[in-house]
Amino acid sequence: MLADSARGFLDDAAPVSALRHLRDAGRTHDPDLWQRICGMGWAGVLIPEDAGGSDMGHAAAGMLAHEMGRTLVNSPFLSSAVIAATALRQVADARAMDAMAAIAAGRTTYALAIDETHKFAPEATAMTAGRSGNGFRLSGTKRFVIDGGFADRILVLARAAEGLTLFDLPADRAGMDRTALNLIDGRDAARITFGNVEATGDDVLGQVGDAMAVLKPALEAGQAALAAEMSGLAAGAFDMTVGYLKERKQFGRPIGSFQALQHRAAHLWCEIEVTASAVLNAGRVLDGNPGEAALAVSLAKARATSTAQLAVMEGVQMHGGIGMTDEYDMGFYMKRARVGAEWLGDYGYHAEQVAALRGI
């Protein structure tokens, strides 16, 4: 019922054509659409009821992300409603509860500033958080900060003397220089430079030197939801491709009647179904046994990355030459799959995690 409701809403309010309109207008997101999404309660899917959320869990968040992936919705759902909400929930003090209430109500959006190189490697964070009196001074640069161009607050990972520490900072804090970037898929991102940015103990989310206690569950939640989004992307690309196979005629017959193309479409459908199962399992494990979810999450993200790339490659090929033109929407799916593959760990990163967790 949740998936059907989400699909009906998004097909009307945020079809793929909406992404094209945003791109042509030079915009990366639609604030009005986000407020409508928040009004439907989606921003509070992982937020406790005491903070104004619905607390429906990660499986439900994955269903919503899947439907957003189908129509390539640009929104801060993953950054705010999934990653930031999960991080704040690990703390759940009065300040965190207020922050979660603001996310659920659509008053505040978050971004996660973690990447410093071209690859995802949080444990290798070099950005410094030097002691300054009773507080800290943050120095360094964060890249590929999804939704960082418009977010109200930034979760920042930095290395203090005690170890990795997570800070929750307003995006307009003095010394933070944001350079907005429009990614190839039309999604908002930013490069943020921190020039001796002042942070107090109140800005620390969790404990100094123990960032991963807060960040690890948030990252896994984000990876699982991103896998769900990419699974939806693959399904959307597949539906578009099958529709074209039924319409396009060659030699007086629909090209979908050619056995070679039927075999390729059937193979892709099987891959999408297996990946959907992996994604659903990741949400189930996060809800039931979050401390043991790493394997299920990395498996889902690796499979979703591979399947999404297969779906868009097959989609372009089976559309023929027009698949590479801007007139057709398949190119939007291809670009979104490319960005999703890199965010929060690429296929190689998660395949390595799966191998390590399986003792290979």
Side-chain angles (χ1 to χ4, degrees):
M1 290 176 63
L2 178 63
D4 288 345
S5 173
R7 186 174 302 180
F9 170 75
L10 294 173
D11 284 347
D12 177 63
V16 181
S17 59
L19 177 61
R20 183 182 292 275
H21 292 323
L22 284 174
R23 184 205 62 178
D24 293 345
R27 300 164 59 202
T28 58
H29 69 292
D30 182 354
D32 292 335
L33 174 63
W34 178 241
Q35 290 303 315
R36 292 179 66 184
I37 288 173
C38 293
M40 296 180 68
W42 297 2
V45 67
L46 294 177
I47 291 174
E49 294 182 13
D50 291 347
S54 59
D55 201 10
M56 294 184 68
H58 295 278
M63 290 179 186
L64 294 174
H66 181 274
E67 296 306 323
M68 291 183 187
R70 275 183 175 271
T71 60
L72 306 179
V73 175
N74 273 3
S75 83
F77 178 76
L78 295 182
S79 299
S80 295
V82 176
I83 298 174
T86 303
L88 290 162
R89 188 162 183 162
Q90 306 311 304
V91 180
D93 58 15
R95 187 188 62 151
M97 294 294 281
D98 288 343
M100 285 190 284
I103 291 174
R107 297 193 304 270
T108 301
T109 56
Y110 272 82
L112 176 66
I114 188 170
D115 292 327
E116 297 180 357
T117 67
H118 63 288
K119 289 297 181 182
F120 174 77
E123 294 83 0
T125 293
M127 181 173 168
T128 59
R131 282 287 184 178
S132 176
N134 293 327
F136 302 86
R137 292 281 182 175
L138 277 57
S139 297
T141 299
K142 295 293 186 179
R143 296 173 172 82
F144 197 41
V145 182
I146 299 294
D147 300 324
F150 66 84
D152 302 305
R153 300 190 68 85
I154 312 290
L155 296 180
V156 186
L157 183 64
R159 189 173 297 278
E162 297 86 348
L164 291 176
T165 303
L166 189 63
F167 295 87
D168 181 354
L169 302 176
D172 59 357
R173 179 67 59 86
M176 290 173 58
D177 182 20
R178 288 195 288 182
T179 302
L181 306 172
N182 191 344
L183 300 179
I184 60 169
D185 67 337
R187 184 171 253 160
D188 177 89
R191 180 174 64 252
I192 307 179
T193 301
F194 295 76
N196 285 322
V197 174
E198 182 178 351
T200 68
D202 290 338
D203 294 321
V204 175
L205 194 61
Q207 300 296 319
V208 175
D210 194 22
M212 297 312 291
V214 172
L215 190 56
K216 183 176 181 292
L219 289 175
E220 290 177 351
Q223 289 159 346
L226 179 56
E229 180 184 282
M230 297 182 74
S231 174
L233 179 158
F238 176 78
D239 290 345
M240 182 178 294
T241 300
V242 170
Y244 183 77
L245 294 180
K246 292 178 179 179
E247 295 173 0
R248 176 74 167 94
K249 290 186 177 181
Q250 199 170 44
F251 308 115
R253 297 169 54 190
I255 61 175
S257 66
F258 300 152
Q259 192 174 56
L261 295 183
Q262 289 178 351
H263 286 173
R264 290 169 67 173
H267 172 247
L268 177 55
W269 181 85
C270 291
E271 291 296 312
I272 290 172
E273 288 297 301
V274 173
T275 295
S277 294
V279 169
L280 286 171
N281 181 62
R284 179 186 65 82
V285 177
L286 281 169
D287 284 332
N289 191 11
E292 301 296 329
L295 176 59
V297 169
S298 281
L299 179 62
K301 179 59 164 68
R303 274 212 62 95
T305 296
S306 177
T307 301
Q309 290 177 335
L310 176 64
V312 296
M313 289 173 61
E314 288 288 71
V316 168
Q317 292 229 346
M318 286 193 270
H319 272 77
I322 62 170
M324 292 298 295
T325 66
D326 187 63
E327 180 182 354
Y328 281 75
D329 291 337
M330 186 57 66
F332 288 102
Y333 284 91
M334 176 172 279
K335 292 171 184 175
R336 179 60 55 85
R338 188 69 189 91
V339 172
E342 293 296 326
W343 190 21
L344 300 177
D346 61 11
Y347 179 89
Y349 174 89
H350 286 287
E352 184 176 337
Q353 296 297 307
V354 169
L357 291 166
R358 285 180 170 172
I360 299 175

